[in-house]
Amino acid sequence: MMSQLQHFAQLLSTDAALLEAYKADPKGVMLANGLTNQEIELVLSGDIDGLKALLGDSLMQAYIVIATPTE
């Protein structure tokens, strides 16, 4: 079963409007898309080790984009 964070990352890769909204307000957009406070804090902090612990190493490549929304 896909986690909400996984689903959100997939949406960011396919929905240009969502990505632009995320760039403008990452926390608000993550909250609106059902991410937990833990997931949001991990993403906003750029805590790659924490995200790996939560998601597993094999899923990390997809999440680099959400950890660096302004690049």
Side-chain angles (χ1 to χ4, degrees), residues 5 38-39 41-61 63-64 67:
L5 180 55
Q38 178 191 18
E39 292 167 331
E41 291 307 314
L42 286 171
V43 171
L44 292 178
S45 71
D47 183 355
I48 299 300
D49 290 332
L51 286 166
K52 283 181 183 178
L54 181 67
L55 301 167
D57 287 341
S58 65
L59 298 175
M60 283 308 300
Q61 290 179 337
Y63 300 104
I64 298 304

Side-chain angles (χ1 to χ4, degrees), residues 27-39:
K27 186 173 184 174
V29 171
M30 286 188 282
L31 281 170
N33 280 273
L35 274 66
T36 66
N37 286 329
Q38 178 191 18
E39 292 167 331

